[in-house]
Amino acid sequence: MTTYRIAPSILSADFAQLGNEVRQVVAAGADMIHFDVMDNHYVPNLTIGPMVCSAIRPLVDVPIDVHLMVKPVDRIIPDFAKAGADIISFHPEASEHIDRTLQLIRDNGCKAGLVLNPATPLDYLQHVMDKLDLILIMSVNPGFGGQSFIPHALKKIEAARAMIDASGKSIMLEVDGGIKVDNIAEVARAGADTFVSGSAIFNAPDYHAVIRQMRERLDTVTPRKTE
Ligand code: DX5
Ligand code: ZN
């Protein structure tokens, strides 16, 4: 059986109540906290950094999944590791030396992930599969919450799933952008196992209800043949 993970993105949380928001979403069944870091350079928005990661770390016991949308990327990685990040992922366009950046994340004791934008080819994965714990497929262009899922991402998820299965390695396949109750099963059927969802969870009146509905939809997905 596939283990499905739901990773609420705190980008859509109420920042004036961030500690409570994080606690509540974990109590409602979140498997990880997705932590979006934007620098107003690599993406046209500015969010939160290692100090905020340190502040929420003691509040919850689920992994913190840091999605770096910053360029350059290397200098900030040790800071996030010290701040308690469990997984750190970055965009290949933001690193001059992708293999080295993946190794830097691992050397700092974190799981490492590579994030592919809608127009970024899967080729970037080919020579670094050994260093990947997570592949994150963007189903929106990064920078903002609340955008619509780009359907073409489904084909890319299928192809990334085939690469992971062929590698025989245990690599999480995460999808980020526009995921809601109504499309989460389709994304799982394409081969994803980890689902970032920001606005669909934090804009809902009842986090528990929306996460439960997502799990009910995931329960309808027939296990893939390779399992
Ligand atoms: C976009 C971020 C996403 C975003 C997802 O750049 O990486 O994590 O917060 O938000 P929704 O689920 O609202 O598309
Ligand atoms: Zn993200």
Side-chain angles (χ1 to χ4, degrees):
M1 278 293 284
T2 305
T3 303
Y4 292 124
R5 299 173 207 87
I6 295 177
S9 161
I10 56 172
L11 185 61
S12 292
D14 176 354
F15 275 77
Q17 314 283 344
L18 189 59
N20 285 337
E21 290 274 73
V22 166
R23 278 198 192 97
Q24 281 175 26
V25 86
V26 170
D31 298 296
M32 333 201 276
I33 292 294
H34 186 79
F35 192 102
D36 285 309
V37 184
M38 305 185 186
D39 68 348
N40 187 40
H41 170 71
Y42 178 65
V43 291
N45 200 354
L46 185 64
T47 60
I48 45 180
M51 288 167 65
V52 177
C53 188
S54 294
I56 64 166
R57 177 67 284 176
L59 306 184
V60 290
D61 54 11
V62 299
I64 298 181
D65 169 36
V66 173
H67 174 191
L68 294 178
M69 290 161 272
V70 303
K71 185 179 180 176
V73 65
D74 289 4
R75 216 232 34 91
I76 203 76
I77 285 169
D79 295 7
F80 271 104
K82 284 190 203 89
D86 296 277
I87 306 166
I88 300 178
S89 56
F90 65 98
H91 292 249
E93 299 88 345
S95 169
E96 298 293 343
H97 305 285
I98 296 163
D99 180 273
R100 181 184 285 156
T101 303
L102 289 168
Q103 191 60 47
L104 177 65
I105 295 170
R106 298 181 140 226
D107 289 348
N108 276 271
C110 297
K111 292 185 172 163
L114 208 48
V115 192
L116 303 180
N117 285 331
T120 303
L122 292 168
D123 304 11
Y124 278 108
L125 306 172
Q126 198 183 341
H127 301 292
V128 292
M129 291 296 276
D130 280 354
K131 289 187 174 162
L132 291 176
D133 299 291
L134 174 138
I135 295 167
L136 173 48
I137 304 290
M138 291 305 297
S139 42
V140 297
N141 286 293
F144 302 95
Q147 303 180 80
S148 298
F149 185 91
I150 297 172
H152 184 257
L154 291 170
K155 288 263 173 278
K156 203 162 167 188
I157 297 162
E158 283 171 14
R161 168 51 59 197
M163 285 179 77
I164 293 170
D165 289 348
S167 77
K169 301 193 180 308
S170 163
I171 300 173
M172 290 179 265
L173 182 54
E174 185 174 44
V175 180
D176 185 1
I179 294 190
K180 309 183 177 321
V181 171
D182 285 350
N183 62 9
I184 195 167
E186 195 179 11
V187 177
R189 261 182 240 114
D193 53 35
T194 305
F195 308 88
V196 177
S197 182
S199 52
I201 292 177
F202 283 105
N203 294 351
D206 181 343
Y207 303 162
H208 194 272
V210 67
I211 292 175
R212 192 189 62 235
Q213 287 161 19
M214 286 178 168
R215 290 205 196 283
E216 283 167 5
R217 298 297 179 98
L218 291 171
D219 284 344
T220 69
V221 177
T222 314
R224 287 173 297 105
K225 285 199 200 84
T226 52
E227 290 168 349

